[in-house]
Amino acid sequence: MLEIPSYFQRLYTAEEIDKRVGELAAQINRDYARRKVHLVCVMRGATVFMADLVRKLDLEVTYDYICVHSYESSSSSGVVRLSKDLDENVESRHVIVVEDIIDSGLTLNYIKENLQSRKPASMALCTLLDRPHRRKIDLSLDYVGFVIPDKFVVGYGLDFEQKWRQLPDIWAIN
Ligand code: IMP
Ligand code: MG
């Protein structure tokens, strides 16, 4: 059996997450009424969130996956590298980027600029979690699930060294 360490603190229960994801979906349903949306899920952390979100959308939806890795250098200017590109073209489509968490903003900013150069009809940024304390790049986020305290979190797709992604709740681990 998977044992959760006693120092983990539950931040959001599965029920609270489900309710909030429903509210985000309702917002997207309103904003994109009668339009087709193309979700771009940022692997791997956002896959659980996107799987729940997409099933609450009452629109014509398609989705694709992108995977990036970031390396924090000592000069604190992180370098982001694309490790799996989209399979489909996003040109002239209404794109919503779906992310698990925004910390420095470097990852999402890289994805935003990369996708913008492919000329989508529009692009919105959606993140389940926003931790603004260490932000290095100002990003205007369109859909935010929860603004969280300055703690590392796992569960609901988010990992620490690839572990804990399958936990239904979100936990702070420090
Ligand atoms: P950023 O580029 O600094 O904004 O970092 C965002 C990326 O780092 C996310 O896509 C996550 O994969 C990862 N990340 C940042 N904070 C956490 C956390 O608390 N738990 C798990 N992953 C995190
Ligand atoms: Mg991520």
Side-chain angles (χ1 to χ4, degrees):
M1 220 187 85
L2 184 66
E3 270 192 48
I4 293 176
S6 57
Y7 60 87
F8 277 28
Q9 285 180 307
R10 198 186 267 104
L11 263 192
Y12 303 106
T13 65
E15 291 71 26
E16 289 168 325
I17 298 165
D18 183 66
K19 178 166 174 278
R20 188 67 190 121
V21 173
E23 290 166 356
L24 292 178
Q27 248 182 294
I28 293 171
N29 284 331
R30 278 196 302 275
D31 294 351
Y32 288 83
R34 288 174 298 280
R35 276 191 286 172
K36 297 176 187 174
V37 298
H38 187 61
L39 304 181
V40 168
C41 176
V42 184
M43 284 166 75
R44 283 169 260 181
T47 53
V48 174
F49 172 40
M50 197 200 59
D52 282 344
L53 182 70
V54 74
R55 283 177 289 174
K56 296 177 193 291
L57 293 180
D58 194 13
L59 303 163
E60 203 175 306
V61 177
T62 52
Y63 60 76
D64 202 350
Y65 295 91
I66 196 168
C67 188
V68 296
H69 288 115
S70 63
Y71 304 94
E72 198 66 26
S73 70
S74 49
S75 68
S76 85
S77 61
V79 175
V80 183
R81 176 179 68 85
L82 186 69
S83 64
K84 184 227 168 280
D85 201 356
L86 298 171
D87 286 327
E88 286 183 50
N89 202 333
V90 295
E91 188 177 340
S92 306
R93 301 171 88 164
H94 294 289
V95 170
I96 303 178
V97 180
V98 180
E99 210 1 341
D100 53 356
I101 183 166
I102 315 299
D103 183 31
S104 68
L106 291 167
T107 304
L108 190 59
N109 187 63
Y110 171 85
I111 292 169
K112 183 184 141 193
E113 294 194 339
N114 184 299
L115 298 189
Q116 205 82 67
S117 71
R118 308 182 199 191
K119 309 207 179 330
S122 67
M123 188 164 65
L125 305 179
C126 173
T127 186
L128 179 68
L129 306 176
D130 179 14
R131 189 176 50 221
H133 311 77
R134 292 159 214 271
R135 193 63 39 84
K136 288 180 187 141
I137 296 180
D138 229 357
L139 279 169
S140 136
L141 303 170
D142 301 276
Y143 306 98
V144 175
F146 302 99
V147 178
I148 66 165
D150 191 11
K151 291 180 173 168
F152 198 87
V153 293
V154 298
Y156 197 70
L158 291 107
D159 73 301
F160 173 64
E161 295 177 345
Q162 300 306 327
K163 269 180 78 180
W164 312 111
R165 292 190 193 274
Q166 84 272 33
L167 301 180
D169 299 340
I170 293 175
W171 302 76
I173 69 170
N174 57 357

